[in-house]
Amino acid sequence: MKNKQRIVASMLIAMRFTAIQIVMSIVFAGTLFASEANSQTVLQKSFNITAEHVQLKKLIVAIEQQTKVKFSFSANMINAEKVITYTARNKRIADFLDEVLKPSNIGYQVINDRIILFPLINNPPKESTNKTEEKATSKAERTVSGTVTNEKGEPLPGVTVTEKGYTNTTITDEKGFFSIKVSGRNSILVFSSIGYESTQQPVAMASAVDIVLKATTQSLNDIVVVGYGSQKKKDLTGAVSSVNTNELKSLPVANIGEALQGRSSGVQVVSSGAPGSNVTFRIRGTGTINNSDPLLVIDGVPTDIPLNTLSPDDIASIEILKDASASAIYGSRGANGVVIITTKRGISGKSALEFKMFAGQQKADHLVKMLNASQFASLHNEMMANNGQPQNPAYANPESLGKGTDWLGALFQTAPIQSYSLAYSGGGPKSTYYVSGTMLDQKGIVYNTGYKRYTVQFNSESKVFDWLKFGNNLTLNHDAKYNGNYDIRNTMAALPVQPIYNADGTYSGPVGQASWYGDIINPIGKATVVDNTTNGYNVLGNIYTEITLFKDLKFKSTGGVQAVFWGNRTWSPKYNWQPIPQPNSYLFQQSNKSLTWLWDNYLTYDKYFASRHHLTLLAGSSAQNNRYDYMNGSVQNFASDNTQQLSNGTSQQTISGNASEWALLSFIGRANYTYDNKYLVTATLRRDGSSRFGENHRWGWFPSGSLAWRISEEKFMKPLKWVNDLKVRIGYGITGNQNIGNYSFASVLQTIQYNFNGQTVNAVVPQAIPNPGVRWEEVQQSNIGIDALLLDGRISVTADAYIKNTNNMLVPMSVPISTGYSDIIVPSINAGKVQNKGIELNITTHNTKGSIEWNTSFNISYNSNKVVSLNDSTPLYTGSIGLNQNLSIQKNGLPVNSFYGFVTNGIFQTQKEVGDYAVQVPGSDPFNRTSPGDIRFRDLNNDGKIDDNDRTYIGNPNPRFIFAMNNSFTWKHFDLGIFMQGVEGNAIFNANRIYQEGMAVAQNQTIAVLNRWTGAGSSNTMPRAIFNDPNKNTRVSDRFVEDGSYIKIKNVTIGYTLPKRLIQKVKMQTARIYLSAQNLVTFTKYKGFDPEVPVNGIDLNVYPVTRTLSAGINLIF
Amino acid sequence: MRTLQYIAAVILVTGISSCKKYLDKAPLDSINTANFFKTESDAIAAINGAYQPLQWPKLYNLRIWTSDIWAGNSIVGAGGGTDGIETQDIANFVTSTDNAAALDIWRGPAPGILRCNLVLKNVPAMNINQNLKNRILGEAYFLRSHYYFILVRLFGDVPLITEPQTPEDNLRPSRTPKAQVYDLIIKDLQQAINLLPDRSAYNGADMGRASKGAAMGMLAKVNLTLGKYTETVNLCRQVTGLGYALNTNYSDNFNPATKNSSESIFEVQYFGKTSYSFWSNENQASWVSTFTGPRNADFVAGGYGWDQPTTEFVNQYEANDNRKDKTLLYVGGPSFDNKQYQSSYSVTGYNLRKFLVPKSVSPDYDTNPANWPVLRYSDVLLMEAEASCELNNLSDALVPLNKVRQRAGLPALSGLNQADLRERIRKERRIELAFEGQRWFDLIRYDNGQYAASFLKSIGKTNFAPKHLLLPIPQKEIDTNPNLTQNAGY
């Protein structure tokens, strides 16, 4: 690597002289005076005027009125507000131009009967300029002007106009007018604007052109951000999804992640209902049993900042790099795919003030139904009797207890959400800016939960000199997550026979024997009095410079900082409800800070050769490092509940803290080559060094290559007029995953405590068996894809197929307990393999045009996932839900996180059936053995007894298919969007049911237990109620595994855009109002709260996803 | 354009100079193995670490004392249902190979053994004070033997590991016959007796470390377990010779105000105030008051209602035994911390009082500073009585037995035949050491397990089978180490 550095450095030094010359010539590119007027008649027109202290623009209007000659100019480029005094008697226009405008550095040109004004920039002092050079330059230069309109004839502001092959660029003003100096007679101008087809116009002799830009129906020329640069969509050779952010703009969601659900094939997004929590992404399946989260890159900076730091309103584009040929540029962090988010920037010449808001109501889609008081009491009596235990006399007459308390109803509520944002943006030819402030206030559907967020976004870019650009992105964020102190499962478990409040208004608690009255602490009381808040303060900022060294060579340097601070605070007053009072008021506070620095440097060389060859080269380096610190403390016993500060507590003080660091140093290279727009090649190479790996495994290479063939450019395809574009892509690459913890390589001793005779002493102990050889996980991915654009762009199809092999997957080393090293905190060894295979399809169609416009986009992805091998074939049991109960297994040949347990086989109806069957729980104690009404489990190994060896694979939490469809309609001023999304083929382990259908303790149960076994023939699915569950009917089995497939009408939005004629009076560009419904309807067989559960498929105490109905306004001035 | 030069220079400089160091990030919160075992305080810190697994719920903070539930002295009680299911399963003799309690007890001693082995490997070569070195090595031998003694009694043959293992070693040894495990235990304890100072040599913050007396008492128990009665009697008398004495008040053995008392031979030390989570391994606070306090009654901080004595057990108390009111909460008994007991607090009508610490001493569930008695002098006296009885020296046996009875306010015994005396000594142990995690070990020791079978059947535990004299080797461990065989019958 030293060599490489030297090469870069010497290149830079060698460039110095040539670069200076080039830059000089660009900077001092001579003054251009108005060329000779083409039409003397225009210039000879005369006028009379007396103006004292008037603005130049008013003066020009007056002259226009007298002479009927039109002046065109951009207010951004010419200081027309300048106040002057001017008196004219029979002056010619030519005099005015020379006497008034020229001294103000305003040049002119006459086109037809119009006079175009433009600034004379950087007019150099003549004596210091090399005259011959100036002359040579200016001789070839001339100015081309004109207007750009859309197909409807409306002027288009903000269109970028560039001379092909050169760096001179301008943009159109509010009236669509532009004026650009071009280098010679054979110049070609390129007009480009987002949402329009880029157009090239030769301007051989013309000095004025009027251009009509066609709105893009397809996105071949869209710019796609690909990591350390961008590409045109048509030039992509890898699998990159670009999300249509237009579709996301009226979704009533707090987190952009939620809005991404279903928007791209191959990308599974699992949202969490808890306010302020983040979504989980799975790109092309679960690639590893470890951290499978993709890398997040915001404005070019790889970051671990939570996605909800950003306001969805500030996001301009989202790209998802799916295959290795695309993500290998991120090397040891690219294995799980990359999500690239770019925030909005100002557009030159297009000033806008945008106000957005929405407000809505959220509600739980579906609450699980629990037993009422009388149903519970009779269940309880039966449960105790079946175990030979005394019944609770208070439940002697169940009917008399009535409905009792609806605890779930008390915990869940209808909750408001509102969001406001204000952004102003714009810019001149040299600088652009985008500034926004947003505010979100979301209450949770669970009592005392919520989320508030405030953000400020400031992005700017300035061309300081023609060869030097500076820019910045800055996100400031403060958010507060009200985590509450809810326990959904305990709320289900609380007894309906217990009121929420005692007669004196205090919170009730179970009083008396736990087997009769339960032992659930009042969940509403806790949710009410305990305060648990996480406050975040986040800064994500970078500043960059781009230096044009040669015409084709640019150098970019980015310095970034990410400062993430968050603090958690839990306060509980003292309370004395049963069963476990809180004897002292209590405060816990935690403070975390994580600082990440980044410095990226790279050179980009972009060159067209002989018109058919296009070569782009990228070479650079990146250094990033992080330090994370935390401190926490707690204290108890406050004199007053009003003084909730750590200093006010008087007893049980504790304090702790720690810090950790990581660093990453990388070298990056990429080459793109295109021949004749037909054959495309991309190759990338990244070398990463990471502090997280053992000393001998610190550095790794991550290469990738991909090819594409645009068949539609071949001659033989030309007759097929209905094929507009057809491209096949093939790629292969190697990426890494270094999310393995910071210090797994180190052999360390931990300092802990013991004590003798009441005095603490230090103790030093080994923590985990060391693994100095630990290194990154490696993913090899092959991808083949096809992009097609058919029928005049009305149908676009993208299909991809991939095989993704994860090698060297880190699996916990199986350390025998007998070694004395922790068998829980174990090092990982690079020994596992996982494979994901899949097919993805995206189809976008423009079904109808005209008065009703109807567009459809549809995507579907299939993925199959399996563990190919693990360390020495020992399965790993994961998905712990408490005491030695593991639901999931990682085992060769099974999908990642497969459910593992017993298989049920109906219910024993008689004692004889029990006796004839394999031995389950034997014994002569009638209350402590398998009896009629208990579940019969399958004896899979036929050894005559039911034990751990009879467990097997009972379900796959990974969906087979994920799919989504969006239909959007516009009719006159109305628009309608219907978005559906779903998954198919996944199982959910409904672990809440272990407890709430267990019928083994004094906890409330769901109404499903009303169908319980009560005697021979009464049920073959729901077992008997028996205290203590001697047969372990609640053991991990397929009893609780449910089909997790669902289809959701995820969003319906109906909008109305006010007619232009109405809003123009108030100088408004756009005004739209809309109604939006999120998670409107769910079709599923799943019995729990909601089928959207965490990716491991375990539904235990999960905050359900909410249904939101909202209304919003979007105004642009 | 000088900027460019600077940029080039900076890239060059940072690239080259930081290349190596930039990526060197060592953990900031821990010591490196390379620079440890240099000073006296290193050696002391290392041996302190070897004590610490004793504190864990995997051993003395939960699993060991819940073995009285297996033995039928009590039931789990607690929240009912699956609360403490792993203990209920063992007590109902339906133990499966994934039993969480068995796994805990398998896990508990292993880090202790590793930490002892680290000390025994590294400390001998250290250049430190010889007396200190002897003491530390003696502590390591004592602790290692104790960890193995727990394992061998509960699991039988276990892998015998006497050196710290590295990733290159064979991490998957097979089980060593229990006779060889006992050989190591005896050898270690003899070394400990030679190396350790008398208890009287400890003071201040060293009170509570393993002493010569502790090693002798423990070796006595090993010998008693192996049926070596003569050695047992000798060792017990040597312990007596070191000046141990019964506390006048039985309850002082469990009172945090009188920890490491004259009756105490070895205790697990608890502190009460801790920055560690109560539920973590490093919990520093005793669980027992929190766990055994009556549930839903607010007697003590916590109060989870575990370990509810059975009527059968309560009926064993002789009239006027002053230990009854000090061991049990029952309706009509004396109040605790000014609170009257109600029978509805418990399924059996009884709760434990023995280990309860009032809120004035332990204000919160995680603040109990009471030590746990592993070996106390009355145990030694009863061991001496038992061994003497087995040797048929009946009058010798009555002397220590009557000392224990006298403290309990009970009349001295005399004139019993061997069989009757044996039965009285066994009953005396059951009452004296009740709920201290001794009963199960006694049950499986008596008459090679015959006694356990008949006793457990007599109290209605009909599921008991001889295989239950040992716990199953955790399936999780067999999965990781296929060289291990399962105990017969599981």
Side-chain angles (χ1 to χ4, degrees), chain A residues 768-880:
Chain A
I769 204 161
N771 174 18
V774 72
R775 62 193 189 103
W776 59 92
E777 299 181 340
E778 186 182 275
V779 169
Q780 297 175 1
Q781 191 178 173
S782 316
N783 188 80
I784 180 159
I786 184 164
D787 299 319
L789 193 64
L790 310 168
L791 298 175
D792 206 17
R794 292 184 70 160
I795 299 177
S796 78
V797 178
T798 295
D800 278 279
Y802 58 87
I803 298 179
K804 192 165 117 177
N805 287 313
T806 306
N807 296 324
N808 293 330
M809 181 173 71
L810 286 161
V811 288
M813 187 169 168
S814 66
V815 178
I817 294 164
S818 61
T819 59
Y821 289 103
S822 172
D823 62 313
I824 297 164
I825 307 166
V826 295
S828 291
I829 53 171
N830 298 88
K833 289 184 180 168
V834 163
Q835 187 179 64
N836 283 278
K837 285 191 287 197
I839 299 174
E840 301 163 357
L841 178 66
N842 265 298
I843 302 175
T844 305
T845 58
H846 304 281
N847 306 324
T848 59
K849 280 199 167 185
S851 68
I852 294 184
E853 203 168 303
W854 172 27
N855 296 326
T856 302
S857 59
F858 172 74
N859 69 66
I860 184 163
S861 321
Y862 164 83
N863 187 73
S864 105
N865 164 289
K866 70 173 179 196
V867 174
V868 176
S869 86
L870 289 171
N871 178 34
D872 58 28
S873 77
T874 307
L876 290 168
Y877 297 93
T878 54
S880 167

Side-chain angles (χ1 to χ4, degrees), chain B residues 351-368:
Chain B
N351 274 101
L352 280 191
R353 181 200 190 96
K354 197 170 187 176
F355 307 113
L356 300 193
V357 176
K359 285 185 170 182
S360 55
V361 176
S362 174
D364 210 342
Y365 73 101
D366 58 354
T367 53
N368 178 11

Side-chain angles (χ1 to χ4, degrees), chain B residues 141-285:
Chain B
Y141 284 121
F142 172 82
L143 292 169
R144 184 168 74 176
S145 72
H146 190 65
Y147 290 124
Y148 272 117
F149 191 38
I150 293 170
L151 283 175
V152 76
R153 284 181 291 173
L154 293 174
F155 294 99
D157 303 349
V158 292
L160 193 64
I161 296 161
T162 56
E163 288 264 322
Q165 291 173 294
T166 67
E168 291 77 41
D169 293 332
N170 171 22
L171 300 179
R172 293 172 174 73
S174 48
R175 297 169 72 179
T176 305
K178 78 179 187 188
Q180 285 177 42
V181 179
Y182 272 114
D183 287 349
L184 180 87
I185 291 170
I186 292 167
K187 217 174 81 192
D188 278 357
L189 283 170
Q190 282 163 346
Q191 294 258 42
I193 292 169
N194 293 335
L195 291 164
L196 285 170
D198 285 358
R199 189 177 79 142
S200 56
Y202 288 127
N203 49 46
D206 284 332
M207 282 287 281
R209 289 186 182 278
S211 67
K212 195 181 289 289
M216 287 171 169
M218 207 53 76
L219 186 55
K221 187 162 273 191
V222 172
N223 279 315
L224 184 65
T225 306
L226 295 173
K228 297 181 178 175
Y229 300 116
T230 312
E231 289 87 340
T232 307
V233 172
N234 288 339
L235 284 159
C236 288
R237 287 179 181 163
Q238 286 180 47
V239 172
T240 302
L242 291 172
Y244 293 92
L246 294 182
N247 290 324
T248 315
N249 183 352
Y250 177 70
S251 291
D252 284 353
N253 287 302
F254 321 107
N255 184 344
T258 51
K259 48 173 68 174
N260 303 317
S261 68
S262 60
E263 188 175 334
S264 159
I265 296 178
F266 189 66
E267 291 182 356
V268 178
Q269 308 285 315
Y270 289 101
F271 182 61
K273 277 186 197 162
T274 170
S275 57
Y276 292 112
S277 157
F278 181 66
W279 302 107
S280 74
N281 275 335
E282 292 84 11
N283 45 6
Q284 296 279 305

Side-chain angles (χ1 to χ4, degrees), chain A residues 1 5 512 519 579 652 658 698 747 749 753 756-758 762 764 814 817-818 823 884 923-924 1001 1028 1032, chain B residues 11 19 24 29 31 33 45 48 81 86 88-89 98 107 172 205 260 269 271 284 295-296 367 462-463 477:
Chain A
M1 60 161 292
Q5 284 288 10
D519 57 353
Q652 308 293 118
N658 205 343
R698 232 164 226 179
S747 151
L749 297 168
Q753 288 180 358
F756 288 106
N757 214 25
N762 279 331
V764 170
S814 66
I817 294 164
S818 61
D823 62 313
N884 214 24
S924 46
V1001 278
N1028 272 10
K1032 294 202 185 66
Chain B
I11 293 176
C19 194
D24 280 340
D29 63 338
I31 302 162
T33 36
N48 292 345
E86 68 290 347
Q88 293 185 42
D89 280 355
D98 65 349
R107 271 187 178 137
R172 293 172 174 73
N260 303 317
Q269 308 285 315
F271 182 61
Q284 296 279 305
R295 199 175 182 95
N296 298 1
T367 53
T462 50
N463 282 352
E477 181 76 338

